[in-house]
Structure formats: C-alpha cells, structure tokens
Amino acid sequence: MNLYRVWVFCTTSKSPVLCVPPRCPATWLTSDTVFLETLKEWVAVESDSVQPVLRLRRELLRMMDLAADRLRNLGAHVDLVDAGFQQLPDGQSLPIPPIILAELGNDPKKPTVCFYGHLDVQPARREDGWVTDPHTLTEVDGKLYGRGTTDNKGPVLAWIHAVSTFRALDEDLPVNVKFVIEGMEEAGSLALEELVQKEKAGFFSSVDYIVISDNLWVSRRTPALTWGTRGNSYFMVEVKCRDQDFHSGTFGGILNEPMADLVALLGSLVDSSGRILIPGIYDHVAPVTEEEKRTYEAIDLDLEEYRNSSQVKKFLFDTKVKQHLDYIFSKRNSSNQMTVSMTLGLHPWVANIRDNQYVAAKRAIKTVFGTEPDMIRDGSTIPIARIFQDAIQKSVMMLPLGAVDDGEHSQKEKINRWNYIEGSKLFAAFFLEMAKLH
C-alpha cells in the first residue's frame, strides 16, 4: 500500500500541531503534490466515450483499471463489473467499460455513504480552441487545465483523497464508503441502470446515502449544494417532400420548400425572451413557493461574473411538443409531410434538503470554507440521480466541487487548484459530520 505523509494543522492552537481529523474541527492544510500528480496521470488518459472508436475504448478500459488500482491501494474491495458490448448502427460492436463497485468498511454501527462518479470525458483536440494540450494537465495562475479536470475526474479523485487522508493518518474511516464509478456517462450511461436494478438487494442494500459530485457552483468562490435538476425532453422534427432532390432551377418557387416549413415550425416554439410558446406547457410547471424564493434570494449569484464566465453578451433575463407543431404546420397548407418523434426524455429530480446528508454537507462547508452554501437547483440533467432515488429509495445529494467558470464540455476545461484541494478536505469533513448525525 503506497502511503504518503499528510500534515494536518489545527488552527485552533497558537502554534501548528499535528492533529488527526476526528479531534479537530478546524481547517486542514495538506501536501497536495501527490493529489496533483494523480490528476495529471488521469487527465493524460484520453477516455472519450462519445466517439465510437476502438482506440478510445481501450483508453477507457485503461482508465477504469487505473481507478480500480487506486481504490485497491486504499484497501477497498473492488469489483469490475462486466457491462457487455455496445452495438452500433453500422453493425460494429465495441466493449462497454466495466463499472466499478468498491467498498471500504462494513461496520453496521456506521452510516454507509455511496459516491457516484464517472471517468469518461467529452472529445477534446487542441485545434478545437485549446490553448494547451487537453490531455496534459497544465497549471496557469492556480487553474488546472485539462479535459476531465472538473467533469468528472477531479471530483472522483477528491473523494478518493478524502478516504486516503484517514488511511495515511492511521485513522478509522468515520463512515462506511462505497464507490460506483462508470465510464460511459457522456454517452448515456450504458448498462448502468440495469446494474443498479440488479444490485438493489446486493451492493446497494446497505447504502444509507448517495452523493454525486458532477455539477458546478453558480459562483467562483461560494460553494453550493444542489437539490434539484430540471430534466429534459429531446424531440426530432422532420419535414419531407420526396425521396429525391429537386433542382432549384426547375422547381424553385413552384412547390413548398421543406426547409422553409422547418424554419417556421422551429421559430414557433419560443419567443425572443425565451418563453416557450406551446399552449398549456406552463400548466405543468410547479409554482415557486415562498420558501424557495427566500432560498434563491440568498444565493451568491453575480450576473456580470456569470455572463463573463459564459462569454455571452446578453442573457434573456436580468434577474435572479407535438400538438402545437401539428397546428402550425396545418396553417401553412404545405404539401410536405411532417413527423415528430421523441428521442430522449429524462425526469426532473428533487431532494429533501432536510435530510441528514444535506445538514452534514452544510456543516462541512462551513468548517472548510467558512460560509453557508448556495442552495441551488440546476439546469443540468444527471439521470442517475433520479434512477438511484427511484430504484434504491435512498436519499440522494449533489455536492458540487467545481466553480462556475470551469467550462465543462468546452475548450479550456479546468478546475482551480483551490477547489480541488479544498474539495478533498470538504469530503473528509463531510464523513465526520455524517458520523455525528447518524
């Protein structure tokens, strides 16, 4: 087992003294060299799950092996669960990377916290607009650039570092810890839901709480706790004239152009302020309660900072689909045919912020960052949260680590060194607070 020394200083004393976490409610200062080296090693693996290429699938397999070895070195029992193969439309078959199920501790007197994360990434090439090589961890002004740094390799490692801190200090973990780590999240989490259903009475039977760290704060400096996600619906709209192209010189101007129909249909869905124009759609939206309004008013959201980090000139707001398409198409009296199909639908997710783990996370954030967290609901959709909640019937919490300007999925993705290191301390503090509340 490869251990390294972690120096922990108690700021409640007049002079620095070595102080083990269970006896120290203060901020912890750790040597971060090993943490950065491990992130560098993981970022170097081109674990792109989006492009169906055998070379990249082999990289994914290597990535999962690296993570499994890291967990085994901590003394975890690790299973690499075979997830089968992905069948592609062209008849090609590619291996789905195995899903990691790992556990440390089985003391029935302790709560069991299960962490979910993923190690696959979106495609990234230097010529896409990266200033540095996306698969070489590069630090500039305290920012650690590289694909996967914030989504989701950095947060996964932060959880592992939290466990390793207790191990390095020869301290018992205050909670039992389980890990569910996959390699296909960016491509739809193939085989994961099936595994969750299969392991309800097995791996997940002893789980008390589930934590996900796969989203961002709404600020650069104020931590957040996410307690809801929006969900989404994807539709495909097709307008067809005939199976053969028409020559514009011969037929232009005497028939209905499918593109014109399509533009009109899509233009009818929202107005210039972003309001959805489909009749009755807002009838299904739950009203914002007074308690929610008070929660949102306290959020540390700087709209100017948010605008700058997103690099857009203007937001639609300056404060903190088939019947409709049928109707619009019929009004055009077009000779073309229109079809609407739903390609993907993901349910929204809402948590109970009074659950023990939200209370523990708030206390841990106060300990490490010295502030109360922003309580946010996210526009992102993380389907596994709803899957866990429905299948296992346990409390699910999202505990973000990255800052608002981290640029997940985009060029120049990064995680701040401060977020990465302090986040590792946060997760360790969260273990301690969970033990107190259980």
Side-chain angles (χ1 to χ4, degrees):
M1 182 173 178
N2 296 322
L3 289 180
Y4 50 91
R5 186 173 300 280
V6 181
W7 289 100
V8 185
F9 294 95
C10 178
T11 57
T12 56
S13 303
K14 292 183 179 179
S15 59
V17 296
L18 187 63
C19 176
V20 295
R23 304 190 189 100
C24 178
T27 304
W28 307 323
L29 305 175
T30 65
S31 173
D32 54 13
T33 303
V34 173
F35 292 178
L36 294 178
E37 285 301 314
T38 309
L39 183 58
K40 180 179 181 180
E41 178 187 25
W42 283 23
V43 167
V45 181
E46 195 177 350
S47 52
D48 171 3
S49 64
V50 177
Q51 300 183 77
V53 179
L54 184 58
R55 177 185 70 83
L56 295 175
R57 286 301 165 89
R58 287 172 177 158
E59 284 287 272
L60 272 166
L61 296 174
R62 183 162 72 94
M63 185 69 254
M64 303 311 289
D65 284 338
L66 280 174
D69 287 343
R70 176 68 56 177
L71 290 166
R72 289 190 188 102
N73 286 339
L74 291 179
H77 173 77
V78 179
D79 280 335
L80 284 166
V81 181
D82 184 6
F85 289 83
Q86 179 185 13
Q87 301 299 323
L88 302 177
D90 62 0
Q92 185 184 185
S93 179
L94 290 175
I96 299 174
I99 299 170
I100 293 175
L101 298 182
E103 51 189 321
L104 294 100
N106 57 4
D107 187 340
K109 297 179 182 178
K110 297 178 180 179
T112 298
V113 177
C114 180
F115 166 73
Y116 161 83
H118 69 91
L119 298 176
D120 59 316
V121 299
Q122 287 280 334
R125 302 179 303 167
R126 179 114 186 214
E127 52 266 36
D128 292 335
W130 287 75
V131 177
T132 60
D133 178 7
H135 298 291
T136 300
L137 188 68
T138 305
E139 182 170 5
V140 180
D141 297 329
K143 298 175 180 179
L144 305 172
Y145 291 95
R147 177 59 91 216
T149 49
T150 198
D151 186 15
N152 187 228
K153 294 179 180 180
V156 171
L157 274 173
W159 280 103
I160 292 175
H161 297 329
V163 173
S164 70
T165 299
F166 289 94
R167 287 287 190 256
L169 293 167
D170 293 325
E171 287 291 325
D172 287 336
L173 278 168
V175 297
N176 304 314
V177 182
K178 294 195 174 191
F179 289 88
V180 180
I181 303 176
E182 65 159 322
M184 290 296 286
E185 191 272 347
E186 302 291 1
S189 294
L190 303 181
L192 182 59
E193 183 173 3
E194 181 182 350
L195 177 66
V196 172
Q197 295 290 348
K198 181 180 177 181
E199 289 290 339
K200 279 195 299 185
F203 181 82
F204 294 105
S205 62
S206 62
V207 169
D208 297 303
Y209 308 97
I210 298 169
V211 185
I212 299 171
S213 299
D214 192 20
N215 48 337
L216 304 176
W217 304 347
V218 291
S219 165
R220 291 182 180 177
R221 301 294 291 184
T222 304
L225 278 174
T226 305
W227 59 283
T229 56
R230 182 167 51 190
N232 58 36
S233 297
Y234 287 92
F235 290 89
M236 181 74 72
V237 182
E238 299 176 81
V239 177
K240 181 179 179 180
C241 184
R242 71 168 188 175
D243 293 331
Q244 227 175 315
D245 289 342
F246 282 114
H247 190 288
S248 60
T250 304
F251 295 98
I254 64 171
L255 50 74
N256 295 109
E257 286 280 0
M259 182 61 73
D261 286 340
L262 193 59
V263 169
L265 290 168
L266 298 180
S268 74
L269 295 176
V270 294
D271 64 19
S272 60
S273 70
R275 182 175 177 81
I276 300 173
L277 298 176
I278 300 171
I281 195 167
Y282 287 103
D283 295 343
H284 301 282
V285 178
V288 179
T289 66
E290 290 303 315
E291 182 180 8
E292 283 182 82
K293 289 179 181 178
R294 290 192 293 272
T295 300
Y296 299 145
E297 287 169 359
I299 291 177
D300 179 22
L301 175 60
D302 184 329
L303 280 171
E304 186 64 19
E305 175 186 271
Y306 204 69
R307 185 186 64 78
N308 289 336
S309 68
S310 63
Q311 298 182 13
V312 296
K313 292 182 179 179
K314 181 182 178 182
F315 285 143
L316 292 175
F317 306 99
D318 56 4
T319 61
K320 340 197 213 184
V321 229
K322 182 176 183 299
Q323 287 179 332
H324 170 74
L325 293 176
D326 284 335
Y327 171 75
I328 296 296
F329 193 69
S330 68
K331 302 291 285 185
R332 292 183 60 79
N333 294 317
S334 175
S335 61
N336 297 320
Q337 297 175 332
M338 182 198 73
T339 58
V340 179
S341 57
M342 185 175 185
T343 58
L344 180 64
L346 300 170
H347 291 289
W349 164 79
V350 179
N352 180 2
I353 60 174
R354 294 177 178 82
D355 281 344
N356 275 357
Q357 62 177 348
Y358 275 92
V359 175
K362 283 184 178 181
R363 292 178 181 177
I365 287 171
K366 184 71 172 179
T367 296
V368 175
F369 293 99
T371 186
E372 295 293 328
D374 288 332
M375 301 300 296
I376 65 174
R377 293 176 70 169
D378 202 328
S380 301
T381 299
I382 303 177
I384 191 60
R386 181 65 180 263
I387 291 171
F388 277 138
Q389 191 166 281
D390 290 347
I392 306 172
Q393 299 290 305
K394 299 292 183 180
S395 172
V396 179
M397 177 180 71
M398 292 189 187
L399 181 54
L401 192 58
V404 66
D405 60 345
D406 277 357
E408 79 276 37
H409 290 196
S410 70
Q411 300 90 338
K412 296 178 282 188
E413 178 184 350
K414 59 86 178 171
I415 192 170
N416 299 327
R417 174 195 278 255
W418 181 74
N419 289 72
Y420 180 47
I421 302 303
E422 296 303 304
S424 300
K425 301 174 190 175
L426 170 64
F427 296 156
F430 171 71
F431 290 156
L432 294 170
E433 295 295 343
M434 282 304 309
K436 293 177 187 176
L437 284 172
H438 187 68

